[in-house]
Amino acid sequence: MDEGQVVLRARRIVLPGGETAGESGADVVVRDGAIAAIEPHGSNRTGRVVELADDEVLLPGLVDTHVHVNDPGRTEWEGFETATRAAAAGGVTTIVDMPLNSLPPTVDVDALELKRKTAAAKAHVDVGFWGGAIPGNVGDLRGLHEAGVFGFKCFLLHSGVDEFPPLDPAGLEESLTELAGLDAMMIVHAEDSHVIDTAPTPHGEDYGDFLDSRPKGAENVAIAQVVELARRIGARVHILHLSSADALPLIASARADGVRVTVETCPHYLSFTAEEIPDGATQFKCCPPIREAGNRELLWKALADGTIDCVVSDHSPCVPELKRLDIGDFGVAWGGVSSLQLGLPAIWTQARLRGHSLDDVVRWMATRPAEFAGVRGKGSIAVGNDADFCVFAPDDAFVVDVEKLQHRNPISPYHGRPLAGVVRQTWLRGEELDISAAPQGRLLTR
């Protein structure tokens, strides 16, 4: 027996070429934390053999490039220890942390180093970092880029925290020009402040009032601005958490013209509809908001045709009192959905109803996020990649109980919702993760 080798034997496995099932399953050979070979099922490879059950599928570890960990500074909201436990429990082996909601925000190299130091001993999965682009820090962007951030996030309206202010049109152009020279990517919270300032002010328990306060036009106008600047400057841009299906034709047209624009959406926009959100249910509040059922179906069509590249969580937790469940007021509650552990079953539940396969889900939640962000060695089961895996039982099911989730605060709009698919194991670099044991994650650079 080769003591240094692990062989994962699966009847069903999702490889870059699609799912392989039945007798044509595969043995994935792991050595030194990497995938050394992929052999026919039942090969004579020696080592520690781990045989998946007949109802389990071997997937690559998921890559979630939109996670607010809030550590250091607002660790009572989340933290690297709890966020990465939730990721591991959900089959996510790589996260990329957002630059805001931590204190200080990741807008210069000193703040990045503090965040890396904070994460180093706490991460159960691999962690990379986004930098931030705010007014006055253009001179810090090159240093952050050279220090290995995966790109830069900006807002075009108030971010929700005063220490991460938005870029005005001139500031956005200045930052994009700097980043184009570095071939670095700008990821954008694209809602236009002027549109929202002239919309009705949200207040009270009626979700419809809140929806009116964040109209689709706010996204559409902002995305048009970002796309046209990217076209003129030659910059790389990525549209975060798309909720407005009205913007899809513009995005498709720009991409056909060669504009370097990618787009994500999130499980909550693909799972929930505005019509079903009860009065006062502020656990559903996020910005941009969950929209109507017809809009949701157009987002699903855009995923199918490739206009939307990927699905990531936008895990944005807070302490329970900030959600204002006591009064159910959408106008004052914190906007953000906690879902890092639930993304895979949430998407699989909806995807299979629409005729999609696990191949599609892997592309949206592992391969494409790794590709657009430039996370090397992740997102697919391929020789040379890290041996990161999710063992998934797609025909199993469970009902979400927030008290059993691993993120810090027990709030989620998925509470009580039945979901299809159960993550049974998560492997990181050839080792099955035990979230009760010492963290094994590493810090990643671009």
Side-chain angles (χ1 to χ4, degrees):
M1 176 180 290
D2 188 334
E3 296 291 346
Q5 192 161 272
V6 178
V7 180
L8 280 84
R9 182 163 292 159
R11 292 284 184 187
R12 295 178 64 186
I13 178 172
V14 176
L15 298 170
E19 182 178 337
T20 299
E23 293 300 325
S24 57
D27 290 356
V28 180
V29 183
V30 176
R31 175 176 284 279
D32 298 326
I35 299 171
I38 300 172
E39 303 280 4
H41 185 272
S43 69
N44 59 4
R45 288 282 190 154
T46 60
R48 180 167 70 93
V49 176
V50 177
E51 189 139 8
L52 273 63
D54 287 345
D55 68 335
E56 295 174 342
V57 186
L58 189 65
L59 311 180
L62 305 187
V63 178
D64 192 335
T65 55
H66 195 150
V67 179
H68 294 269
V69 180
N70 310 334
D71 195 6
R74 289 191 175 97
T75 313
E76 70 275 16
W77 291 21
E78 190 58 277
F80 283 103
E81 175 71 25
T82 50
T84 58
R85 280 207 312 258
V92 178
T93 53
T94 303
I95 66 170
V96 187
D97 172 62
M98 284 291 163
L100 73 157
N101 298 349
S102 56
L103 292 169
T106 315
V107 295
D108 56 40
V109 172
D110 287 345
L112 173 64
E113 290 309 311
L114 176 60
K115 184 167 279 192
R116 290 175 62 86
K117 182 179 179 180
T118 302
K122 301 179 182 179
H124 288 274
V125 301
D126 288 355
V127 179
F129 303 93
W130 298 108
I134 63 172
N137 85 324
V138 170
D140 293 300
L141 301 182
R142 179 179 291 273
L144 282 164
H145 178 74
E146 292 174 349
V149 298
F150 284 86
F152 297 85
K153 181 176 187 178
C154 73
F155 277 74
L156 305 183
L157 78 172
H158 195 279
S159 68
V161 291
D162 292 338
E163 68 274 5
F164 200 94
L167 296 176
D168 63 17
L172 177 63
E173 181 170 358
E174 183 183 20
S175 294
L176 279 176
T177 300
E178 174 72 9
L179 296 184
L182 303 171
D183 197 31
M185 181 167 53
M186 181 76 90
I187 63 175
V188 185
H189 182 124
E191 288 182 286
D192 183 78
S193 60
H194 300 295
V195 173
I196 288 177
D197 286 345
T198 57
T201 302
H203 62 280
E205 299 183 349
D206 188 331
Y207 184 77
D209 286 347
F210 170 63
L211 190 60
D212 290 343
S213 77
R214 313 290 291 216
K216 291 180 183 178
E219 285 189 83
N220 304 338
V221 168
I223 290 168
Q225 177 189 6
V226 170
V227 164
E228 290 314 303
L229 278 174
R231 185 195 305 274
R232 177 158 55 84
I233 295 169
R236 296 169 58 206
V237 295
H238 178 77
I239 305 302
L240 297 168
H241 45 50
L242 180 73
S243 81
S244 171
D246 289 355
L248 291 166
L250 168 67
I251 292 164
S253 175
R255 189 174 289 162
D257 290 343
V259 179
R260 296 195 292 171
V261 56
T262 50
V263 186
E264 69 184 43
T265 192
C266 305
H268 39 280
Y269 301 128
L270 298 166
S271 297
F272 303 115
T273 64
E275 294 90 339
E276 69 182 316
I277 296 175
D279 288 349
T282 54
Q283 65 269 31
F284 288 87
K285 180 181 176 179
C286 55
C287 299
I290 295 162
R291 302 194 186 276
E292 301 85 354
N295 184 87
R296 178 183 66 173
E297 296 314 306
L298 292 174
L299 295 179
W300 274 106
K301 289 180 180 178
L303 265 177
D305 67 25
T307 305
I308 297 175
D309 296 272
C310 57
V311 181
V312 293
S313 69
D314 189 11
H315 179 71
S316 185
C318 66
V319 292
E321 51 266 30
L322 287 179
K323 270 297 185 183
R324 298 313 310 263
L325 293 168
D326 55 336
I327 59 173
D329 190 331
F330 284 99
V332 298
W334 176 262
V337 169
S338 296
S339 62
L340 179 55
Q341 185 173 335
L342 299 172
L344 177 55
I347 289 300
W348 175 237
T349 298
Q350 298 293 324
R352 70 178 192 164
L353 293 176
R354 294 166 174 81
H356 294 293
S357 67
L358 283 172
D359 297 356
D360 297 324
V361 173
V362 164
R363 182 172 68 255
W364 301 329
M365 303 190 76
T367 309
R368 287 296 290 134
E371 289 173 349
F372 102 78
V375 184
R376 298 184 302 274
K378 307 287 189 181
S380 61
I381 299 175
V383 173
N385 277 2
D386 290 347
D388 297 352
F389 307 112
C390 169
V391 177
F392 188 58
D395 297 322
D396 203 348
F398 68 105
V399 175
V400 178
D401 180 351
V402 290
E403 298 294 341
K404 296 179 180 179
L405 299 178
Q406 296 295 324
H407 66 256
R408 185 177 299 278
N409 293 296
I411 300 173
S412 175
Y414 292 94
H415 178 62
R417 193 174 183 90
L419 295 179
V422 172
V423 175
R424 293 189 177 162
Q425 296 175 17
T426 302
W427 291 64
L428 183 67
R429 289 186 303 278
E431 297 287 339
E432 183 182 352
L433 286 177
D434 177 357
I435 58 176
S436 66
Q440 301 178 41
R442 296 178 183 174
L443 305 186
L444 305 177
T445 57
R446 189 192 68 264

